[in-house]
Amino acid sequence: MMFRRKLLALFALTVFLSVAAIAGLVLAVTRRAFAKSEEERTSALVAQFQREFNRQGEEIGRRVQAIAASEPVSRMANAVSGTASDSAGYFDLARSMADSHQLDFLELVDGRGVIISSAQWPAKFGYPATGFESLAASTDQNAFLMQEEMQDSAALGMFAVRTTHSGEHPIYVIGGRRLDNNFLSTIDLPVGMRALLYQNRGDHFSRELLLDPAASGQMHAPEKFATLVEAVRQSHQEMSSKIQWTADQADDELFRAIPLTGVGKDHPLLGILLIGNSQRSYVELRRRIRDSALLAGGAGIVLAILLSGWTAARVTRPVEQLARAAQDVTAGNWNTHVEVQGEDEVSQLAESFNRMTAELLSHKERLVQAERVAAWRELARRLAHELKNPLFPLQLTVENLVRARTQSPQEFDEVFRESSQTLLAEISNLKTIIGRFSEFSKMPQPQLQRVNVNEIVQAVAQLFEAQFHGPGREPIECNLELGEGVRSISADPELLHRALSNLVLNAMDAMPRGGVLTLRSRRTDGKVILEVADTGTGLTREECERIFTPYYTSKQHGTGLGLAIVQSVISDHGGRISVRSEPGVGTTFVIELPDSSQVKEKAAIVESADQSAASVHE
């Protein structure tokens, strides 16, 4: 990944993490604030419910006390005197007293717990009052909850108990009002909150027992409260649960269920107060925070792109220039210079790079001069060695001629004929040696055309087919492994044929006892790869390093120009040749040939170098 992209990714990641952290922190704080607010509002609503319950309980207590102290009840107490037979005349008294004092429930019970009169269910006359012991013990208490059995059903109400005495037999006045939607309507509910009441009757949840003063008609999906109600019924403790009404989270409500118990030893669970808090404001605020975070994140990423672009212009551009300059140096352009701007670390790096290239260029020039001198010295040594061998027989032949002419003129003709043949042979040898050196110095430039590499390889193999199985030497097996994907390239077919032929000759010389010669071709990464492999004697590491040096040879008879010519041909085609070898195993020469554009560029460089060399000689 480029530095500019890394910088952009770093900026974008920093912005994203910062916005995400801030959004997460804001959401966490908001969540805690809403939870605290909901707890406070719920507690305030519970306190208001308790105050309203106490207020109405006190009012019920006063009304029941007024009934107990009224003249009709006192006359009834004197008349019944604790006997049931005397109370039949007061069958409707409870109903009339309840209507006059605006009570929903009213019963008159004698000291034995027998109902004298009942406003809500007159047929209970003469029956024992349910839970009379607990009711008799509650005469001095404020209002309490009690579930009252009706003729058709049961009802939950607030009750108060007062007594009136006639002699030693008290009369209990039990009166109350319903705890229903009317009571819940008296509670002042904040916006987004509501109060429901579940009357605990039966063994399972029943939607008919759930009261909601805000519901118009039938309540929507009351069965969603079943799990919460059943949990409170099992534990008799406050519990909370979130109710999901729709797929939209803004419609969710968080309900707190508060158990309502009655009097008695077991404090039976008579009802459950459900206080709900709407989650709409919290969800909408959370959505706004999320949208704001996304907007801020998007704006931050855009800003990161702009900032990274600006930073890249100030920071990465000099780095990119240095990278391109380094690539130019790698490609051989040692005159590359990087512009220095400013005095920061990048500028210091650019100055160091310029000094490095200048020193490298200076070292290169000195190295080229040293190599040139060494090459001329090697050429002089090789020429002296090659010319010395034929000069000695020439000298002897001429001396024999002079001696024969002086000492025995009659034998001169015979000596002259033999000496002439020797002179001509040695002169021919001199011409051959000079021709080889001249041939190497006058390597022609490639005449590029579209050639099929596989066809050239096959032609070379066919050329040496007779020599592979020639008389007087061990046979050589030639294997062709030609890639099907090798297409035609721009090359000089004659020069390429000549280079491959030299490599095949070297391979044959390396296998005097026979072996296997393998010619391979393949295409990879836009290049054509040719390999000439043998199973001969192999080369040492030192020989592999010097084998392409002109005039170097490991053979007893050789000029050391064969592989130098091969390297020159491949270099003129813009390619490269390498060797890998192991003594006793074999040697493989690897040729890499590029496309035509690189060949033309290389040829132009070589032609320019030749022109420069010609001008120097002139």
Side-chain angles (χ1 to χ4, degrees):
M1 182 183 293
M2 297 180 61
F3 179 72
R4 181 176 299 184
R5 295 181 180 177
K6 291 182 179 179
L7 196 62
L8 172 60
L10 178 62
F11 284 168
L13 182 61
T14 302
V15 171
F16 173 77
L17 292 179
S18 300
V19 173
I22 294 174
L25 179 62
V26 172
L27 285 175
V29 172
T30 303
R31 188 183 304 111
R32 287 196 295 268
F34 266 88
K36 182 178 180 180
S37 175
E38 289 174 350
E39 181 66 24
E40 292 175 351
R41 282 157 39 111
T42 301
S43 299
L45 192 59
V46 171
Q48 185 184 166
F49 175 86
Q50 187 64 42
R51 288 194 300 270
E52 183 64 21
F53 185 89
N54 292 336
R55 186 189 68 79
Q56 293 199 24
E58 291 176 356
E59 182 180 353
I60 292 172
R62 288 193 298 269
R63 293 178 182 272
V64 172
Q65 181 63 41
I67 294 174
S70 64
E71 182 179 353
V73 174
S74 297
R75 286 199 304 270
M76 182 199 68
N78 292 327
V80 298
S81 299
T83 60
S85 59
D86 297 331
S87 60
Y90 301 96
F91 182 81
D92 294 329
L93 178 61
R95 179 178 295 178
S96 61
M97 296 298 292
D99 292 339
S100 62
H101 288 80
Q102 298 179 350
L103 295 176
D104 298 323
F105 310 105
L106 184 62
E107 287 184 342
L108 303 177
V109 182
D110 63 15
R112 296 171 299 175
V114 178
I115 298 175
I116 300 174
S117 180
S118 175
Q120 61 270 20
W121 192 0
K124 292 172 65 178
F125 169 77
Y127 285 89
T130 304
F132 175 72
E133 292 80 5
S134 299
L135 295 175
S138 305
T139 55
D140 295 330
Q141 296 182 5
N142 292 329
F144 55 88
L145 281 178
M146 188 175 71
Q147 188 167 278
E148 179 64 20
E149 295 293 333
M150 306 291 289
Q151 185 173 357
D152 298 328
S153 61
L156 183 63
M158 296 178 294
F159 288 84
V161 180
R162 299 293 183 267
T163 60
T164 181
H165 290 270
S166 174
E168 297 180 357
H169 303 285
I171 298 296
Y172 294 91
V173 180
I174 306 171
R177 288 180 177 172
R178 294 177 180 271
L179 191 65
D180 54 9
N181 286 335
N182 292 330
F183 176 83
L184 297 177
S185 299
T186 61
I187 300 176
D188 186 14
L189 297 173
V191 177
M193 296 188 68
R194 60 174 176 158
L196 290 75
L197 179 65
Y198 180 77
Q199 303 176 74
N200 186 33
R201 297 199 301 270
D203 297 331
H204 303 286
F205 176 83
S206 176
R207 60 189 303 168
E208 289 78 11
L209 300 178
L210 186 62
L211 304 179
D212 182 7
S216 57
Q218 190 175 6
M219 184 185 302
H220 173 67
E223 61 276 359
K224 290 183 177 292
F225 291 97
T227 302
L228 178 60
V229 169
E230 290 296 334
V232 175
R233 291 178 63 179
Q234 295 293 329
S235 64
H236 286 213
Q237 295 180 356
E238 292 188 12
M239 303 188 72
S240 298
S241 178
K242 182 180 291 186
I243 305 297
Q244 297 180 346
W245 300 108
T246 64
D248 187 2
Q249 293 183 352
D251 294 331
D252 295 350
E253 287 184 284
L254 182 63
F255 276 90
R256 179 176 172 183
I258 303 171
L260 303 177
T261 59
V263 295
K265 294 181 180 180
D266 298 332
H267 294 285
L269 180 64
L270 302 180
I272 301 174
L273 179 63
L274 300 169
I275 299 176
N277 277 283
S278 174
Q279 301 293 292
R280 180 171 297 277
S281 56
Y282 168 70
V283 172
E284 291 179 350
L285 179 59
R286 186 178 64 185
R287 288 174 178 172
R288 286 196 292 270
I289 294 174
R290 182 193 60 191
D291 294 342
S292 300
L294 292 176
L295 180 61
I301 292 176
V302 173
L303 180 62
I305 295 174
L306 298 177
L307 184 60
S308 65
W310 178 82
T311 306
R314 299 294 300 272
V315 177
T316 62
R317 185 175 297 152
V319 176
E320 292 175 353
Q321 291 177 353
L322 282 171
R324 288 194 296 268
Q327 293 175 357
D328 292 342
V329 172
T330 303
N333 183 11
W334 293 37
N335 293 315
T336 302
H337 183 80
V338 179
E339 183 179 357
V340 179
Q341 296 180 351
E343 298 179 355
D344 54 9
E345 291 81 357
V346 178
S347 301
Q348 295 175 5
L349 179 61
E351 292 178 355
S352 300
F353 180 85
N354 291 335
R355 288 195 299 270
M356 179 191 70
T357 54
E359 293 177 0
L360 287 175
L361 187 60
S362 176
H363 286 305
K364 178 186 177 183
E365 292 175 352
R366 291 195 294 269
L367 181 61
V368 169
Q369 293 176 1
E371 289 180 347
R372 185 178 298 135
V373 172
W376 279 112
R377 287 177 178 174
E378 178 66 20
L379 177 60
R381 187 191 67 81
R382 177 62 63 177
L383 283 173
H385 176 75
E386 295 292 335
L387 295 177
K388 181 179 178 180
N389 292 332
L391 285 177
F392 182 70
L394 286 175
Q395 180 182 358
L396 291 178
T397 302
V398 173
E399 290 176 352
N400 288 334
L401 284 174
V402 173
R403 188 181 305 110
R405 182 73 177 84
T406 304
Q407 296 178 356
S408 53
Q410 64 277 9
E411 299 178 0
F412 177 77
D413 293 337
E414 182 180 355
V415 173
F416 180 78
R417 287 194 299 272
E418 294 177 357
S419 297
S420 298
Q421 294 176 359
T422 302
L423 288 174
L424 291 175
E426 294 301 329
I427 291 173
S428 177
N429 188 18
L430 281 175
K431 291 176 63 178
T432 301
I433 294 173
I434 295 172
R436 290 177 181 175
F437 283 95
S438 177
E439 180 184 12
F440 177 69
S441 64
K442 296 180 180 180
M443 286 294 298
Q445 293 301 315
Q447 303 298 318
L448 302 180
Q449 56 182 292
R450 302 303 295 184
V451 297
N452 190 310
V453 177
N454 287 343
E455 293 180 356
I456 294 179
V457 174
Q458 291 173 345
V460 171
Q462 186 176 4
L463 176 65
F464 291 94
E465 182 65 30
Q467 299 183 37
F468 292 153
H469 304 279
R473 66 170 302 158
E474 297 294 332
I476 296 177
E477 179 184 352
C478 181
N479 295 332
L480 295 181
E481 299 178 2
L482 306 180
E484 297 180 356
V486 177
R487 296 173 294 181
S488 61
I489 62 172
S490 294
D492 189 318
E494 295 182 1
L495 292 179
L496 193 57
H497 188 282
R498 180 179 178 182
L500 290 175
S501 298
N502 281 343
L503 293 178
V504 171
L505 286 173
N506 278 347
M508 293 174 62
D509 292 339
M511 295 185 291
R513 298 181 180 179
V516 178
L517 173 66
T518 304
L519 303 179
R520 302 186 185 94
S521 68
R522 68 179 188 274
R523 190 177 188 87
T524 176
D525 297 332
K527 297 180 180 180
V528 172
I529 308 298
L530 299 177
E531 294 184 3
V532 178
D534 63 63
T535 59
T537 56
L539 301 171
T540 64
R541 181 176 179 181
E542 292 75 13
E543 290 175 333
C544 290
E545 293 176 353
R546 301 183 59 190
I547 197 170
F548 295 109
T549 303
Y551 318 118
Y552 171 80
T553 180
S554 58
K555 302 176 183 179
Q556 185 176 3
H557 301 286
T559 61
L561 296 176
L563 291 178
I565 292 174
V566 173
Q567 187 183 46
S568 177
V569 171
I570 302 303
S571 178
D572 289 346
H573 280 78
R576 61 185 298 267
I577 183 172
S578 59
V579 62
R580 59 178 184 268
S581 181
E582 184 176 350
V585 177
T587 303
T588 300
F589 288 90
V590 181
I591 298 175
E592 299 179 12
L593 295 175
D595 58 20
S596 58
S597 60
Q598 294 177 334
V599 175
K600 293 178 180 179
E601 180 180 354
K602 182 65 177 179
I605 295 175
V606 173
E607 183 178 359
S608 176
D610 291 343
Q611 293 176 357
S612 300
S615 62
V616 171
H617 286 298
E618 292 176 359

